[in-house]
């Protein structure tokens, strides 16, 4: 191999930790040879070298569980392939539950992980004692053993990946810091170093806790923040050995494992300490941070109670090393939304070794094939927003995000820190009405409304939470009278210009060449026919369209439109989200309410479903769109922000005689679940096609120019019945509760997993959507001909399956 400094490469990877080396290794496995990895100091010198090396496969999400499972399998084969030891020890792991609620959470997680090939078993406290004789088990409600879990030496794993990459033709250069990112016309073209520029077709930012700074060189937001992260190593302890399982002890915010005849205790304190707020020192390598004993002693003592002998054993080392954390405790992966061919893989929240193999596999396929080999939206960098790169926001959120993985993962749990980023102009009105706010994409949004005298605050539980009755009342108001939903957080994108129609019509499945004033429900697909967006497009003029999508998808949808706008096309996208408030009136009395405050025609004949027009309420003019996501007669009202308060006040005052009730996002969810309306990122996503999801009706198969993904869908249709289909389920027992990720059984055999769920107050039981799979295809008869059960933490509930919405299947109420 040439020793000259390279001037070009097909792909340049920045960062020589486990992630960068894994991506290089996997790219060579896909046949790429011109792969160059640049490390500013030495391989593993950032955070990889001091990682604990745990391979515990039960994670919070499907994507992270799959990444961990792949990593575990890969690391077991690396030594045989490369000759480089990985230090893998097949010790298994045990997760402990001190409370009945934690035990239920883990039982649910165990059932989910089993769907992805993770072996696990519930064991008794006595069995824990047998596997870990030094552990105190007196306070345990339950425990769970994962026999295939393991631990590795992080440096050895990284060196094995690096060696494998070199064997495949990759070149790795140490002590070459990247000082700049080169780009042209919105596409990356290479990197700048002290030894010269390197042109490249692809650049991958794997710079760990420096990834935010590297992103800034490219004008790309990579929101992560380093924080102090601790583990201690005891003096030698009699009776410990390498095959002791890893103990994960959420109740004490710690993990415990053997370390060369000693005991390592890792700490995930509830209130963490951000580090490097002025930037990571340029010369920081193989470094640590002076530990804050005063702050950490209470955490140490609490964790040591699990192995009481530690309280009388000396501490050999209290190690504090920085790790980077993200605002939602999920990774940052994928192509940057605003710079083509610039990829990011960073922000692994102290789980880089655990996920490194899987991340390399997914990222390599993403780079080579243009999309990932599995749905990884939960870790896709395009879920993030530019404002999240705010240093103060990252500092305050990191205080909470470091320890969140070792806390109770309650249904509907809300972040407590870094709140109040975005507030609707109506926020104070909603607060006065009793709103209990949740957060989405920085927006404070009303999730439910408290009754008079009730505190608008969550009391978390796995059973019916304190707002269950409030949700039922809001739900009934929409079904029986009228409810008002404040949805100003929705992203509103104006797309205009002489080529706007041709651009959007090529992207969207539906035909958007409709009359002015028509609103169209549609999807955006990838080349494989997977659903990248689910949204509405309203034609406001011949050359002007209004694209409305959920707040959390805004970055992704904007980028999708921009990246699929042909060069030279006259098509301008403008984000007008903050210029408009949105009130959504839904329910059989919505027409009468609007007619009482406006002289415009809201009749069935005068204002048809799926149409939009300007209307006047009081002195104000706004855009009304007759749509529903709740399955009722209703209108979305897009109100210029200066008009929002008087329009709201007029509706609330007039609504008193129509039974109007404030409704939150939980009611929206329970209503849409009964109608089987899909939710993108839960029920549909990049791996799901309209044919599988029951959305084929949105596809304009014969429109001029076709649409992205059409050919893939035609191939799917020609291949016969889909192998998986989205089905609606209703529990037979009204007491059971579903959330998502519950295994689905048909005639006693597992056939799928739920994707979203909520209690259906009109149907009288929990409702879910989930995919049913069968290798010979899923016909209507297959769906309706079986007996179904849904597993909730080890208990199976009988369920009814339906391919038609269980509520108003013929849309009588929607079109009334």
């Amino acid at each position: 191999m040439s020793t000259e400094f390279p001037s070009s490469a097909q792909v340049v990877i920045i960062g020589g930790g486990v992630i960068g080396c894994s991506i290089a290794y996997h790219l060579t496995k896909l046949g790429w040879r011109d792969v160059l990895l640049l490390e500013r100091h030495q391989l593993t010198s950032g955070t990889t070298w001091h990682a604990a090396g745990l391979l515990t496969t039960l994670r919070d999400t499907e994507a992270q569980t799959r990444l961990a499972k792949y990593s575990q399998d890969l690391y077991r084969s690396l030594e045989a392939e490369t000759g480089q030891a990985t230090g893998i020890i097949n010790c298994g792991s045990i997760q402990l539950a001190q409370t009945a609620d934690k035990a239920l959470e883990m039982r649910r997680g165990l059932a989910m992980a089993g769907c992805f090939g993770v072996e696990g078993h519930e064991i008794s406290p006595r069995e824990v004692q047998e596997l870990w004789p030094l552990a105190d088990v007196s306070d345990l409600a339950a425990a769970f053993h994962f026999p295939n879990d393991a631990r590795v030496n992080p440096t050895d794993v990284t060196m094995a990946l690096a060696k494998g990459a070199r064997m495949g033709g990759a070149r790795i250069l140490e002590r070459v810091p990247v000082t700049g990112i080169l780009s042209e016309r919105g596409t990356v073209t290479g990197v700048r170093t002290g030894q010269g520029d390197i042109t490249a077709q692809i650049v991958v930012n794997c710079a760990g806790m420096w990834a935010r700074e590297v992103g800034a060189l490219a004008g790309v937001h990579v929101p992560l923040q380093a924080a102090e992260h601790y583990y201690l190593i005891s003096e030698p302890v009699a009776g410990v050995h390498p095959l002791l399982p890893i103990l994960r002890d959420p109740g004490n915010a710690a993990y415990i494992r053997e370390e060369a005849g000693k005991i390592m205790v890792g700490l995930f304190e509830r209130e963490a300490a951000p580090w490097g707020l002025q930037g990571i020192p340029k010369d920081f390598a193989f470094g640590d941070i002076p530990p804050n004993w005063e702050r950490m002693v209470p955490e140490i003592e609490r964790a040591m109670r699990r192995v009481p002998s530690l309280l009388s054993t000396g501490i050999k080392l209290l190690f504090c090393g920085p790790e980077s954390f993200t605002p939602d405790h999920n990774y940052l992966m994928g192509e940057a939304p605003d710079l083509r061919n610039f990829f990011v893989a960073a922000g692994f929240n102290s789980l880089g070794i655990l996920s490194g193999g899987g991340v390399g596999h997914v990222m390599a396929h993403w780079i080579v094939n243009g999309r990932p080999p599995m749905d990884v939206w939960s870790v896709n960098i395009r879920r993030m927003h530019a404002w999240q790169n705010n240093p103060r926001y990252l500092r305050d959120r990191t205080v909470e995000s470091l320890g969140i993985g070792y806390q109770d993962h309650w249904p509907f749990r809300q972040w407590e820190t870094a709140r109040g980023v975005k507030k609707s102009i109506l926020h104070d009105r909603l607060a006065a009405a009793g709103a209990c706010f949740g957060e989405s994409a920085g927006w404070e949004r009303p999730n439910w409304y408290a009754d008079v005298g009730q505190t608008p605050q969550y009391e978390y539980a796995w059973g019916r939470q304190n707002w269950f009755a409030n949700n039922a009342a809001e739900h009934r108001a929409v079904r029986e009278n009228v409810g008002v939903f404040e949805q100003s957080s929705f992203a509103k994108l104006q797309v205009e210009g002489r080529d706007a129609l041709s651009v959007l019509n090529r992207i969207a499945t539906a035909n958007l060449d409709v009359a002015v004033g028509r609103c169209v429900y549609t999807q955006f697909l990838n080349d494989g026919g997977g659903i990248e967006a689910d949204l509405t497009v309203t034609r406001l003029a011949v050359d002007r369209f209004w694209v409305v999508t959920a707040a959390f998808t805004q970055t992704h949808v904007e980028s999708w439109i921009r990246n699929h706008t042909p060069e030279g096309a006259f098509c301008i996208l403008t984000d007008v989200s903050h210029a408009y408030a949105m009130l959504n009136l839904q329910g059989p009395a919505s027409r009468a309410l609007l007619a009482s405050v406006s002289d415009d025609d809201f009749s069935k004949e005068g204002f048809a479903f799926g149409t939009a027009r300007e209307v006047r309420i009081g002195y104000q003019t706004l855009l009304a769109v007759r749509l529903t996501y709740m399955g009722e007669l209703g209108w979305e009202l897009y109100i210029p922000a200066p008009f929002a308060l008087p329009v709201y006040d007029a509706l609330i005052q007039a609504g008193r005689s129509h039974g109007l009730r404030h409704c939150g996002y939980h009611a929206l969810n329970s209503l849409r679940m009964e109608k089987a309306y899909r939710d993108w990122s839960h029920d549909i996503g990049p791996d799901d096609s309209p044919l599988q999801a029951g959305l084929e009706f949105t596809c304009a198969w014969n429109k001029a120019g076709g649409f992205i993904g059409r050919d893939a869908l035609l191939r799917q249709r020609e291949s016969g019945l889909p192998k998986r289909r989205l089905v609606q389920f209703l529990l037979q027992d009204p007491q059971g509760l579903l959330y998502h990720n519950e295994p689905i059984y048909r005639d006693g055999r597992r056939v799928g997993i739920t994707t979203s769920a909520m209690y259906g107050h009109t149907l009288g039981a929990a409702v879910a959507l989930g995919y049913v799979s069968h290798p010979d295809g899923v016909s209507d008869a297959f769906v309706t001909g079986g007996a179904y059960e849904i597993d909730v933490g080890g208990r199976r509930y009988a369920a009814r399956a339906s391919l038609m919405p269980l509520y108003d299947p013929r849309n009588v109420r929607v079109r009334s």
Side-chain angles (χ1 to χ4, degrees), residues 145-463:
H145 184 219
F146 296 86
N148 295 324
D149 282 357
R151 58 187 176 98
V152 293
N153 182 302
T155 297
D156 288 348
V157 162
T158 306
M159 294 305 179
L161 290 166
K163 186 174 181 180
R166 291 189 181 102
M167 290 167 60
R171 187 173 180 184
I172 297 176
L173 299 180
E174 297 179 301
R175 302 188 185 279
V176 182
V178 170
T179 59
I181 304 295
L182 310 176
S183 64
E184 185 177 332
R185 301 173 70 88
T187 302
V188 77
T189 58
V191 300
R192 175 155 291 156
T193 78
Q195 300 181 49
D197 292 353
I198 303 171
T199 61
Q201 298 172 24
I202 305 284
V203 174
V204 191
N205 177 2
C206 303
M209 59 184 173
W210 289 271
R212 185 163 170 249
E213 297 175 26
V214 171
L217 296 176
V220 171
H221 299 290
V222 184
L224 54 77
Q225 173 63 52
E228 296 179 6
H229 192 35
Y230 288 85
Y231 62 74
L232 68 84
I233 297 177
S234 73
E235 295 289 352
V237 176
V240 300
H241 56 83
L243 292 180
L244 279 175
I246 300 158
L247 281 182
R248 296 188 74 224
D249 190 7
N252 292 315
Y255 66 82
I256 300 171
R257 72 164 178 83
E258 184 271 350
E259 173 65 23
K262 311 172 189 65
I263 291 178
M264 172 188 285
V265 180
L267 305 168
F268 285 84
E269 64 272 23
R270 178 173 286 272
E271 295 186 13
W275 179 80
L277 295 171
Q278 307 307 314
I280 310 299
K282 299 297 183 185
D283 59 350
F284 192 84
F286 297 110
D288 59 359
I289 304 168
N292 185 333
W293 282 92
E294 182 178 0
R295 184 172 76 84
M296 295 307 297
V297 162
E299 304 290 338
I300 293 169
E301 291 178 343
R302 181 173 67 159
M304 282 183 167
R305 295 191 192 109
R306 181 59 58 206
V307 182
S309 60
L310 284 174
L311 293 168
S312 57
T313 302
I315 296 175
K316 184 178 181 66
L317 172 69
L318 178 61
F319 180 86
C320 179
E323 294 274 3
S324 59
F325 295 84
T326 65
D328 62 0
H329 200 70
N330 285 336
Y331 318 148
L332 302 176
M333 292 170 55
E335 187 179 18
D338 39 13
L339 184 61
R340 287 187 293 274
N341 294 341
F342 184 83
F343 286 79
V344 177
F348 287 94
N349 304 289
S350 192
L351 300 173
I353 302 300
L354 169 71
S355 304
V359 170
H361 167 72
V362 167
M363 290 295 297
H365 279 269
W366 207 332
I367 291 164
V368 172
N369 301 319
R371 64 175 187 269
M374 55 181 276
D375 184 355
V376 289
W377 170 254
S378 65
V379 296
N380 191 324
I381 192 171
R382 295 189 182 193
R383 76 188 186 279
M384 290 292 166
H385 302 259
W387 60 265
Q388 289 178 293
N389 222 24
N390 181 305
R392 181 168 293 187
Y393 167 82
L394 289 170
R395 178 198 67 190
D396 292 349
R397 176 54 63 85
T398 300
V399 169
E400 182 180 8
S401 64
L402 180 146
I404 201 79
Y406 274 68
Q407 296 170 25
D408 287 292
H409 302 141
W410 301 112
F412 312 104
R413 176 171 176 162
Q414 303 295 316
W415 289 93
E416 297 175 1
T417 56
R419 292 288 298 269
V421 176
K422 296 183 181 183
K423 293 182 178 180
S424 159
I425 194 171
L426 299 170
H427 180 89
D428 290 348
R429 294 283 205 279
L430 306 177
C436 181
F437 292 97
E439 180 263 335
S440 178
W443 286 92
E444 294 294 320
R445 311 192 310 181
N447 279 347
W448 57 278
Y449 287 84
D451 294 330
V452 175
Q454 180 184 12
T455 302
Q457 182 175 318
Y458 282 92
E459 295 175 12
Y460 295 121
W462 283 97

Side-chain angles (χ1 to χ4, degrees), residues 553-597:
T553 67
Q554 179 171 347
T555 302
H556 178 57
V557 170
E558 279 194 64
S559 177
W560 194 265
I561 295 173
R562 293 187 194 280
N563 288 347
H564 290 86
T565 299
E567 189 171 353
F570 192 81
C571 179
I572 301 169
L573 186 155
T574 306
D575 174 19
V576 296
S577 302
H578 299 153
Y580 293 85
M582 199 266 264
L583 292 173
N584 197 341
L585 289 177
Q586 295 289 322
S590 58
R591 176 177 286 129
L593 171 55
L594 286 169
S596 73
V597 296

